[in-house]
Amino acid sequence: MPRVIVSEPRVSPEVVAAHGLMEEEYASIQGILGRNPTYTELGIFSVMWSEHCSYKSSRVHLKTLPTAGPRILQGPGENAGVVDIGHGLAAVFKIESHNHPSFIEPYQGAATGVGGIIRDIFTMGARPICLLDSLRFGPLTEAKSRYLLGGVVAGIAGYGNAVGVPTVGGELVFAECYAGNPLVNVLCLGIAPADRIFTARAGGPGNPVIYVGAKTGRDGIHGATMASETFDETSEERRPTVQVGDPFREKLLIEACLELMGTGQVVGIQDMGAAGLTCSSCEMASRGGTGIELELTRVPRREEGMTPYEVMLSESQERMLVVVRQGAEEVVRAIFAKWDLDAVVVGRVTGDGLLRVLEGGKVVAEIPADALAEGAPAYRRPTLRPAGLDALQGADLSHLPAPPDWGAALTALLASPTITCKRDIWRQYDHMLYLNTIVLPGSDAVVLRLKGHPGGLALATDGNGRYCFLDPYVGGMIAVAEAARNVSCAGAEPIALTNCLNFGDPTRPEIMWQFAEVVRGMGDACRALGTPVTGGNVSLYNETLGRAIFPTPIVGMLGLLQDVRHATTQWFKGAGDLVYLLGETQDELGGSEYLKVRHGREEGRPPHLDLARERAVQAACRAAIRAGLVRSAHDTSEGGLAVALAECCIPVEGKPVGFTGTLPGALRPDAAFFGESQSRILLSVRPEQAGTLEALAREHGVPCTLIGTTGGRTFTLTAGTATLRVEVAALAEAWRGGLGAAAAGNRDGRGA
C-alpha cells in the first residue's frame, strides 16, 4: 500500500520533549522508522515506551523472579496469571495500581482502576468473582488525606458494587510519606475452565479485528504518560487525563465477552487499558508474530472532530479489541447488539508485522509492532545505597522509656489508624455478593467457596513499606512471607502470587537500589516458599516535589484449600481454650508500629526473617488445621504479640473473649509485647488436643509454647516483671472505633 501521510502538527524537539522521550530514544525511533515520525507515531511511541507500559527501568530486575511451577498455566506476559486449582478449574488473578489518577481525581481514579483490573481477568476467559484492595494514605490529621480516602473508597465501592464483583478484603495503611501520593492497588480474581484460557494474540492474517464495547472519547489521553511522571504543584490540573468509568456498561461487556468466548470463534482478545487502542493493537500483533491494520474512521466515537492521535491514545473505559475467525463477524455483532454494545470491524490481521493506522484510507502511522512492545528500551539504571541508611539501621533502641501503663499503650496501638478495625471501610463494599465469601473481611485472609470444587481459595494482600525503607531486601522477603502466612492461617496452602511494586523516581540511584533489593528479597522468599509470581504491575514515579513514598511492594497471595471445611479465622471461639505460640520472639523493635506510634520513630532494622523457619511454621500451622486441632489461627505482624492476641479476643461483630497469659523468655517488656518478630502464629486449641499439637510441632521442628488460656472479662499478659491488664471490652471499643474516632477527632482539631 502506498504510504500517504495525512497533515499533522510538526514534530519539533520541543514536541518530542513534551512527550517524555529522551533524545536517544527519539534517535532510536528515527532509526526504527528510517525517517522522522509523524505526530501520531510520536504519540504512539511515547505511550508505549513510557515507564507505565514498557517497564523499561524494571524489566531487567523482574526477570529474576521465579515464574514457573507445577500449577502455573500462564505466567507474566499476558493480561493476568492463571493457576491450576484442580477439578478442571483455573484461578485467574492479578493486581494493578491506579495511584496517579486517584491522587488527581480520587473517585474516578479508583473506580476506573477497578474496571481495568476486572477487564484483565475476563479477557482471559474467566468470570470475575472478587476484588481486594490495598490502600495507602497520609495521616488522617490532614484534610487532603481524608478527602482522598473518602473519594477512593467511594470509587471502589461505587464501581465494584454496581458491576457486580464483590470487594471481599484488603488492607489500609497510613503514613506521612503517602500524603502527597496515595497508593490504590486493586486485585481481581476470576475462575475459568482450565482448558479454555484466552490470550491477547492476533493470529491468522486476514482475520477481522473488531472493536467492542463503549464509544471512544477524549478522556484519559496520555494517561499512561502521566502515570510515568512525578507530581508537582500543577498535578491537579491533569484531571482530563483521568478516565471516567461506567460500571453498568462494564457488566454488559463482561457478559457479552464471555458469551462470545463460548462460541469458539475468538482468536485473541485484549482490553483497551493504558494507551487504549494503541497498546491493545500493537501488543496483540507483537505477541502473535503478526501485524494489524486499523481504519480509524470506523472506530465508534462519542465526540466530534477527534484526530487520529486522540483516537489512538484515548483511554476511554469499557472497550475491548477482539480478533475472530473470518466469517464470524455477524456472530460478534449479534451477541454485542443483544447486550446493547458496539461491535465494529475496524481492521484486519496482517502478516507483515506492522501496526498500520489509516484515517480515511490514508496512512497516519506505520510502525513495526515489535518495536513498540517487546522492542521498547530496557535500562539497567544506576543503583546506590542511600547515604543515611546505615544511621537509620544503627539507631540505638535499647533505652526506650517504658510507658507508664502498658495497658494504655496497647489500647493506643489498637486504636491507631493502621491497626484499628477497617469495618467502616468494608461496610461500603458488597462483600457477600453470590454468597461465596465464607470468611469475611477482618481475618488474616478472605476465603471463598468454589462451585464445582470441594475446596476453596484464600486471598490476602500484604506489604510493609516501612520495613522496605529500612532494609529493602528484608522488607521484600517479609512482604511475601507475611502474605503466605496469612493464607496459611486460613488453612490454605500458598500456591502463587501477584505483585504491585510501588516506588519513587527510578532515575534516582537510591530509588533504583531500593527496587532492585526488594525484588531480590521477594525472589528469594518466593523460591523458599514455593510461590511463583504470575505477574502484576510496577508503578514508579510515586513522589511529589522530590519526596518519594516508602518503597512499597504489595503482594497478593493465592492459597488453595482442598477442603473448604478447613477454613479458619483468627478469633477465639470461647472460654477454656489453650493458646499456643508457634515460633519464637526475638529482641526486635526496629521498624515496628509501636516504635512509630509510641515514640514517633521510624528507625532500626526490621525484624530478621529465617525463610526455612518461616516455611516450617506455616507447614505446621496448616497440618494442625487439617488435622482438626485448631479453633483459631492468627499471625503476628504490626503491633506484635500483644496486638495479635488482642485481635484474637475481638471479633468484628459479637462479644469479645478474654485472655490470660504469660510470654516466655526474658526479653525486655516492650520487645516481648510489641516487637514484630517474624514466623510466629497464634493457635487456640481445646485442652484435650494440646499434646497432639505439641507432637505435630516437634515433627516440623517448630517451637510450640503454651502462653495462656481464653476466657473472662480482662486481657492480662505478663512479660517478665511487667504486666499488661485491660478490660477486654475497652480494647474492643478502641479497636472497633479507632478509624472513625481518629477522623472525627482530626476534624475538630483534637488530633488522633
Side-chain angles (χ1 to χ4, degrees):
M1 174 187 298
R3 190 169 56 84
V4 181
I5 305 298
V6 301
S7 177
E8 291 189 306
R10 188 177 70 88
V11 175
S12 65
E14 293 75 20
V15 170
V16 172
H19 280 73
L21 291 165
M22 297 184 294
E23 289 184 12
E24 55 268 34
E25 290 175 338
Y26 184 66
S28 294
I29 292 169
Q30 291 173 310
I32 290 167
L33 298 177
R35 55 179 169 79
N36 292 330
T38 67
Y39 184 67
T40 296
E41 287 171 336
L42 182 72
I44 289 172
F45 270 107
S46 74
V47 292
M48 290 307 300
W49 284 14
S50 69
E51 199 73 65
H52 188 75
C53 290
S54 73
Y55 290 18
K56 57 189 176 185
S57 297
S58 58
R59 292 207 313 263
V60 295
H61 300 286
L62 297 177
K63 288 179 179 178
T64 67
L65 292 171
T67 58
R71 291 187 178 273
I72 304 301
L73 301 178
Q74 176 64 60
E78 279 288 344
N79 286 290
V82 184
V83 181
D84 189 341
I85 57 174
H87 300 275
L89 297 178
V92 180
F93 73 127
K94 188 183 182 183
I95 190 169
E96 282 202 341
S97 65
H98 233 223
N99 304 335
H100 287 65
S102 299
F103 175 77
I104 295 170
E105 211 302 301
Y107 184 95
Q108 289 296 346
T112 53
V114 171
I117 194 64
I118 289 174
R119 287 194 298 279
D120 281 341
I121 301 308
F122 73 76
T123 295
M124 305 294 292
R127 177 168 292 280
I129 65 169
C130 75
L131 297 157
L132 285 82
D133 55 35
S134 181
L135 310 177
R136 302 289 186 275
F137 295 95
L140 285 172
T141 51
E142 300 182 14
K144 183 63 177 288
S145 296
R146 297 194 297 274
Y147 161 73
L148 291 172
L149 172 63
V152 164
V153 171
I156 293 171
Y159 203 102
N161 293 352
V163 79
V165 181
T167 303
V168 297
E171 54 164 2
L172 172 60
V173 171
F174 299 89
E176 287 85 352
C177 70
Y178 304 111
N181 199 127
L183 301 184
V184 179
N185 294 181
V186 182
L187 181 153
C188 187
L189 168 75
I191 301 298
D195 59 355
R196 204 185 74 180
I197 302 299
F198 292 82
T199 59
R201 299 168 189 267
N207 280 335
V209 176
I210 304 180
Y211 172 118
V212 300
K215 290 178 169 58
T216 295
R218 289 188 170 94
D219 51 324
I221 293 174
H222 269 297
T225 307
M226 178 269 290
S228 305
E229 299 171 347
T230 58
F231 285 149
D232 56 26
E233 300 94 333
T234 67
S235 295
E236 294 193 28
E237 299 173 7
R238 305 181 193 180
R239 289 183 188 273
T241 62
V242 178
Q243 312 94 321
V244 177
D246 181 348
F248 302 103
R249 190 165 295 275
E250 177 113 334
K251 174 60 175 173
L252 300 177
L253 189 62
I254 293 172
E255 300 305 328
C257 287
L258 292 178
E259 183 175 339
L260 176 61
M261 290 168 174
T263 66
Q265 298 299 318
V266 174
V267 175
I269 180 169
Q270 180 159 332
D271 77 294
M272 296 187 214
L277 186 55
T278 288
C279 186
S280 57
S281 56
C282 71
E283 287 191 347
M284 289 181 76
S286 178
R287 290 189 186 115
T290 58
I292 283 182
E293 181 178 287
L294 299 172
E295 173 52 72
L296 297 188
T297 57
R298 301 175 187 168
V299 172
R301 308 181 192 190
R302 66 169 188 265
E303 297 187 46
E304 297 292 330
M306 291 187 70
T307 66
Y309 180 100
E310 292 173 325
V311 173
M312 288 301 293
L313 270 62
S314 168
E315 294 183 8
S316 294
Q317 297 291 284
E318 293 88 37
R319 303 179 302 158
M320 312 285 284
L321 201 64
V322 187
V323 175
V324 298
R325 292 182 172 85
Q326 292 186 63
E329 294 89 339
E330 288 306 318
V331 173
V332 179
R333 290 191 187 101
I335 289 173
F336 281 82
K338 183 179 80 171
W339 294 99
D340 196 25
L341 295 169
D342 285 313
V344 180
V345 176
V346 296
R348 63 187 179 90
V349 178
T350 66
D352 59 13
L354 298 176
L355 172 63
R356 184 179 296 108
V357 182
L358 310 177
E359 174 80 353
K362 296 181 179 180
V363 177
V364 294
E366 194 170 60
I367 307 169
D370 277 344
L372 294 169
E374 293 301 316
Y379 302 125
R380 184 174 289 278
R381 296 194 185 277
T383 61
L384 180 67
R385 180 183 172 92
L389 188 57
D390 288 341
L392 281 173
Q393 291 182 345
D396 184 4
L397 306 178
S398 60
H399 301 292
L400 296 172
D405 184 334
W406 290 106
L410 172 60
T411 304
L413 265 177
L414 287 172
S416 65
T418 290
I419 290 178
T420 193
C421 177
K422 307 306 188 298
R423 179 176 55 178
D424 292 347
I425 303 298
W426 73 63
R427 276 181 168 173
Q428 300 179 53
Y429 305 148
D430 184 352
H431 50 269
M432 284 299 293
L433 192 67
Y434 307 132
L435 301 178
N436 289 326
T437 315
I438 59 174
V439 173
L440 301 179
S443 196
D444 286 317
V446 64
V447 178
L448 303 168
R449 68 165 56 88
L450 300 172
K451 294 177 176 65
H453 194 297
L457 294 177
L459 280 166
T461 56
D462 222 300
N464 190 309
R466 186 185 299 133
Y467 288 170
C468 294
F469 171 67
L470 294 172
D471 190 326
Y473 173 73
V474 172
M477 286 199 298
I478 290 176
V480 174
E482 185 167 349
R485 202 181 313 137
N486 284 332
V487 301
S488 287
C489 286
E493 178 187 359
I495 57 174
L497 66 86
T498 177
N499 59 44
C500 196
L501 307 179
N502 307 274
F503 289 77
D505 182 348
T507 65
R508 294 168 53 192
E510 294 84 358
I511 299 295
M512 207 62 233
W513 179 81
Q514 291 175 336
F515 185 90
E517 286 294 285
V518 162
V519 171
R520 185 169 70 91
M522 293 178 69
D524 285 350
C526 288
R527 282 181 282 271
L529 300 178
T531 53
V533 178
T534 62
N537 176 232
V538 176
S539 175
L540 302 176
Y541 294 97
N542 288 290
E543 55 182 79
T544 299
L545 299 175
R547 184 184 181 190
I549 62 165
F550 283 154
T552 310
I554 301 299
V555 171
M557 185 66 69
L558 179 70
L560 178 63
L561 293 92
Q562 296 297 341
D563 187 336
V564 76
R565 292 173 297 180
H566 294 152
T568 305
T569 61
Q570 69 185 43
W571 302 292
F572 294 147
K573 301 304 184 289
D577 287 346
L578 303 182
V579 179
Y580 279 85
L581 173 65
L582 296 181
E584 295 177 296
T585 304
Q586 308 297 325
D587 188 357
E588 299 171 306
L589 277 174
S592 65
E593 195 70 14
Y594 171 79
L595 188 64
K596 170 60 178 173
V597 171
R598 180 71 195 176
H599 300 285
R601 298 171 65 177
E602 294 179 301
E603 300 174 312
R605 290 184 177 275
H608 171 72
L609 177 63
D610 181 325
L611 289 170
R613 169 59 60 83
E614 181 70 44
R615 185 173 60 247
V617 166
Q618 292 190 33
C621 174
R622 295 193 302 269
I625 290 173
R626 288 195 298 268
L629 308 178
V630 175
R631 300 256 284 166
S632 70
H634 186 28
D635 85 311
T636 63
S637 55
E638 288 87 357
L641 269 176
V643 165
L645 284 163
E647 289 171 338
C648 293
C649 293
I650 312 166
V652 175
E653 308 285 351
K655 187 176 179 180
V657 177
F659 171 80
T660 302
T662 300
L663 299 181
L667 296 177
R668 43 192 276 209
D670 52 1
F673 288 144
F674 305 120
E676 296 175 5
S677 294
Q678 297 297 295
S679 310
R680 296 182 299 169
I681 294 175
L682 293 165
L683 302 178
S684 67
V685 301
R686 293 287 195 193
E688 59 269 23
Q689 303 286 11
T692 307
L693 175 65
E694 292 171 3
L696 185 150
R698 284 194 297 272
E699 291 175 11
H700 285 81
V702 171
C704 180
T705 307
L706 176 63
I707 61 172
T709 58
T710 63
R713 297 182 178 180
T714 62
F715 180 90
T716 305
L717 189 62
T718 300
T721 59
T723 297
L724 188 161
R725 182 182 175 88
V726 193
E727 291 293 316
V728 71
L731 293 181
E733 182 180 4
W735 182 73
R736 288 171 177 167
L739 197 63
N746 291 328
R747 281 198 292 273
D748 63 23
R750 295 197 306 269

